Amino acid sequence: MIYFDFAATTPLDPEAAEVFVQASTEYFGNSSSLHDIGGQSQDLLENCREELANLLGINKKGLYFTSGGSEGNFLAIEALLSAPKKTGKHIIAGLAEHSSIHGVLNRLDGYNITFLPLNSSGLIDVEELERSITPETILVTVQHVNSEIGTIQPIEEIGRICLEHDIHFHSDFVQSFGKINLRNIPQLVSSFSFSGHKIYGPKGVGGVYVDPAISWKAFFPGSSHEKGFRPGTLNVPGIAAMTAAAQKINDRMGKNHDKYLELRAAFMDSLKPIKDFVHVHQAESVSQLPSIIGLRISGIEGQWMMLECNRYGFAISTGSACQIGMQSPAKVTLALGLSTQEAKEFIRISFGTSTKREDVIKLGETIVGIVNKFKL
């Protein structure tokens, strides 16, 4: 089976796995315990916090470790809403946000929420966002990179608009962490989330940055971990392994980007025999993560195409793994204004560090063969 679903999750890097085992056996103490064994775990934890803060260009005092991106999104939004810059009950969010964002917004009572669609290039219209702002707007939440089509949202512009209007800005960095240089962006947001298993770290660990100047209130009263940000004993081995994976992918970021550009071009070239049926949802290269390709093939349901590819030994997806179990269309298809039938045709191919050019071409040729058989 050849894997083309790296946007859903990645395999654990062997070096990160070694760190995980070492930390689990040698630094097993509870980082909150006051004895020396707990102190060793606490020292490792703080070293990881400092290293990740340096990689991200943030103040380590605002970095909190979580169980992953979904929990991070929930806690970040709740933290910002507990300390708004002004009085109001209006929130602006992208319609294509991850299901965890929709989950926390749907549970809020008394808030008026404006959902912004994407334009034909898969991007938020900044002018439409600015027109949507009212005196009551206290929060904007827009993901940095869409997990289903890989478009890079204009975070810098959105951040400046929010600063001008005294609005908190949360961004989901789960798909951009380790793939885009983020060091110049954090000062433009109030908070952001990230996850370890998208960068060859372990599952069940991630982080949130909240601007230390924000005096948030804990969502879970009485929580003693992470300055009260969340309850539960910290997964120090997982955090150490995630940090090792982050260091490694950060060093390879430029090389990976160039590689994915070549793989994307090779894949698109392999689909030329069926180009009249293929619709790729993407932005210009400057606003597009090359490792994620979201597309439709006219007349062929994405789930059927995914199963056929699986039969031929290729693992692709029909969108965010957090949404698939609900059997509902990828949120990006709604945000793009696709019809119900078009939404059902959506599939996603995503590359990783182990992806080979010859495998990309084989996948393209396989899809062409499946389409030709289907169309006969």
Side-chain angles (χ1 to χ4, degrees), residues 17-81:
E18 289 179 13
V19 170
F20 184 88
V21 172
Q22 183 180 5
S24 296
T25 54
E26 297 179 24
Y27 297 86
F28 60 87
N30 188 321
S31 58
S32 295
S33 297
L34 299 180
H35 47 63
D36 286 353
I37 292 177
Q40 292 170 357
S41 181
Q42 176 69 17
D43 288 343
L44 176 59
L45 175 69
E46 294 310 316
N47 284 338
C48 291
R49 196 187 312 275
E50 186 165 357
E51 176 60 28
L52 285 169
N54 288 336
L55 286 178
L56 292 164
I58 58 175
N59 185 335
K60 67 178 182 179
K61 292 180 180 179
L63 179 56
Y64 306 98
F65 292 112
T66 68
S67 66
S70 292
E71 183 196 14
N73 284 330
F74 177 88
L75 291 177
I77 289 176
E78 291 289 353
L80 298 184
L81 292 178

Side-chain angles (χ1 to χ4, degrees), residues 250-270:
N250 187 71
D251 290 340
R252 300 177 53 170
M253 197 180 297
K255 289 182 180 178
N256 285 343
H257 182 79
D258 292 343
K259 172 186 175 179
Y260 299 146
L261 282 173
E262 293 177 6
L263 293 179
R264 188 183 187 92
F267 179 71
M268 298 313 301
D269 191 58
S270 70

